[in-house]
Amino acid sequence: DLKTAYLAHGPCLTQVKYRGCYGADREVDFSAQVQTLRTDDYCRTFQKLSYTFTRDVSTKKIWLYKLGRTSRYKTPRIAYGNLDGLIEERDVPETLDEDQLFLNQVELTGSGPFWLAFTGATETTQRQAKPNGYRALIVRQYEAVIGGKTYTNPTFRAPVHRAYPTNLDIELLPPAGIREFSRGDRVELDLELITLPRVAEDYYGPNESFRKHLAENPNSWKTTYREAKNNDLDLAVSGGRVLQEYPIVIQVEEPEVAVTLRGGVGAVPISFEGLESSKEHRLYQVTDGKRTRFDQSVHGNDFWQTDYDTATASYAMTFNLPLDGLG
């Protein structure tokens, strides 16, 4: 009974919502919000997932999220960490067997956001050298409420999807030691799936700050960590309130809204919701106390996005802020 709602088509930030259930007896209610953005460096897909259990369910064969199922691919290394940096990086042997568990029941310790990366991963069938990317997963929120107890540190495993050479999957799991979900238990995930160039020569965009980082850190977990840490934004807002920190969503409450933020890499999306009209709104950047109108236009009005919300009879306006190097 999955239902899909396309709420925003872009170009600055898409929004698609899903709602349905899992199981022949509807054991799990499920909802998701999936978004992607306009950018000039690497692909980001934002995914908010919610599971609510309506019946008792064994955790024996459950994973909450899988990154994998990719054929003709090899994953020579896996790295994982938290807000403070790298927890561990391990080389992956090419002699592992299919369905073997390379890592099992690993809990990510410390504070989030947490992250996992297949650094240096590449296709195996290409005959000529060409740009390749590797996948990484950022867990900005992991909240499992089970039997009245709340868990906030993700647990994962890394099984072998294909062998010779080894191609790993990543599966987010229920907390270690949990054998069963009961009616009323829930899990909330705020995830960011990214695909990163391995080396500077693989990147063909105009973002020189990103290119410099790649040149200094080829095939490195630091590229995933850069996104995880630097887009863990610190926001202060007047004239409105923060509904979401990344991508940024501001509920407008006054005629003028001021947003101060620290951090940020890439083209960070910012949306202003609750506008009575889609016209006569302007965004300004303040530098040394002077306002300069924000303008990324190439062909006129082509750098911002407006969406209408029928439920509230209001508009939202979205931009992509290039925050590299602004502090």
Side-chain angles (χ1 to χ4, degrees), residues 142-164:
Y142 175 101
E143 183 177 279
V145 180
I146 304 170
K149 183 178 179 179
T150 301
Y151 301 83
T152 57
N153 287 70
T155 297
F156 79 96
R157 67 185 169 209
V160 178
H161 172 53
R162 289 283 186 267
Y164 308 104

Side-chain angles (χ1 to χ4, degrees), residues 96-97 99-105 157-160 168 171:
L96 298 179
D97 295 325
D99 295 326
Q100 182 176 343
L101 274 176
F102 178 62
L103 296 173
N104 188 29
Q105 293 286 338
R157 67 185 169 209
V160 178
L168 296 180
E171 297 174 351

Side-chain angles (χ1 to χ4, degrees), residues 260-307:
T260 303
L261 60 93
R262 293 184 182 275
V265 290
V268 174
I270 183 169
S271 298
F272 298 92
E273 295 188 351
L275 303 174
E276 294 181 358
S277 169
S278 63
K279 300 178 180 179
E280 303 304 323
H281 299 290
R282 301 289 183 267
L283 180 64
Y284 294 89
Q285 181 177 352
V286 180
T287 305
D288 296 328
K290 181 180 179 181
R291 292 188 181 191
T292 303
R293 185 176 173 186
F294 183 72
D295 188 353
Q296 294 175 315
S297 62
V298 177
H299 303 289
N301 286 334
D302 60 355
F303 66 96
W304 50 271
Q305 170 186 327
T306 300
D307 295 289

Side-chain angles (χ1 to χ4, degrees), residues 75-323:
T75 53
R77 287 187 306 282
I78 183 172
Y80 52 92
N82 55 27
L83 179 62
D84 295 323
L86 179 69
I87 294 176
E88 186 173 13
E89 183 174 37
R90 296 185 60 174
D91 292 330
V92 180
E94 292 196 357
T95 56
L96 298 179
D97 295 325
E98 196 164 309
D99 295 326
Q100 182 176 343
L101 274 176
F102 178 62
L103 296 173
N104 188 29
Q105 293 286 338
V106 178
E107 181 180 302
L108 296 175
T109 57
S111 301
F114 307 95
W115 53 271
L116 307 101
F118 288 131
T119 51
T122 184
E123 294 181 23
T124 59
T125 57
Q126 62 184 39
R127 296 180 179 179
Q128 297 179 348
K130 64 179 182 179
N132 259 209
Y134 69 87
R135 295 165 300 152
L137 183 68
I138 297 170
V139 184
R140 297 201 175 272
Q141 179 187 3
Y142 175 101
E143 183 177 279
V145 180
I146 304 170
K149 183 178 179 179
T150 301
Y151 301 83
T152 57
N153 287 70
T155 297
F156 79 96
R157 67 185 169 209
V160 178
H161 172 53
R162 289 283 186 267
Y164 308 104
T166 304
N167 178 7
L168 296 180
D169 290 343
I170 288 175
E171 297 174 351
L172 296 184
L173 303 175
I178 298 299
R179 299 288 179 261
E180 185 178 68
F181 287 107
S182 300
R183 178 184 176 90
D185 290 346
R186 62 178 178 84
V187 179
E188 307 283 341
L189 302 176
D190 186 351
L191 308 175
E192 183 183 352
L193 174 62
I194 58 178
T195 306
L196 298 165
R198 295 173 303 162
V199 294
E201 290 73 18
D202 287 350
Y203 174 60
Y204 49 85
N207 189 322
E208 292 304 322
S209 176
F210 183 55
R211 190 189 314 278
K212 181 175 183 292
H213 167 85
L214 290 173
E216 295 172 351
N217 302 279
N219 281 315
S220 174
W221 58 267
K222 294 181 181 179
T223 308
T224 301
Y225 180 56
R226 174 180 180 269
E227 168 69 19
K229 181 180 180 179
N230 291 348
N231 280 331
D232 184 34
L233 303 171
D234 181 11
L235 295 171
V237 178
S238 63
R241 55 190 171 91
V242 178
L243 300 182
Q244 182 174 284
E245 293 184 351
Y246 183 62
I248 304 169
V249 181
I250 306 296
Q251 176 68 38
V252 173
E253 296 177 338
E254 302 291 341
E256 181 170 292
V257 179
V259 181
T260 303
L261 60 93
R262 293 184 182 275
V265 290
V268 174
I270 183 169
S271 298
F272 298 92
E273 295 188 351
L275 303 174
E276 294 181 358
S277 169
S278 63
K279 300 178 180 179
E280 303 304 323
H281 299 290
R282 301 289 183 267
L283 180 64
Y284 294 89
Q285 181 177 352
V286 180
T287 305
D288 296 328
K290 181 180 179 181
R291 292 188 181 191
T292 303
R293 185 176 173 186
F294 183 72
D295 188 353
Q296 294 175 315
S297 62
V298 177
H299 303 289
N301 286 334
D302 60 355
F303 66 96
W304 50 271
Q305 170 186 327
T306 300
D307 295 289
Y308 181 67
D309 184 353
T310 56
T312 61
S314 65
Y315 293 87
M317 200 166 187
T318 304
F319 303 87
N320 302 101
L321 305 180
L323 298 181

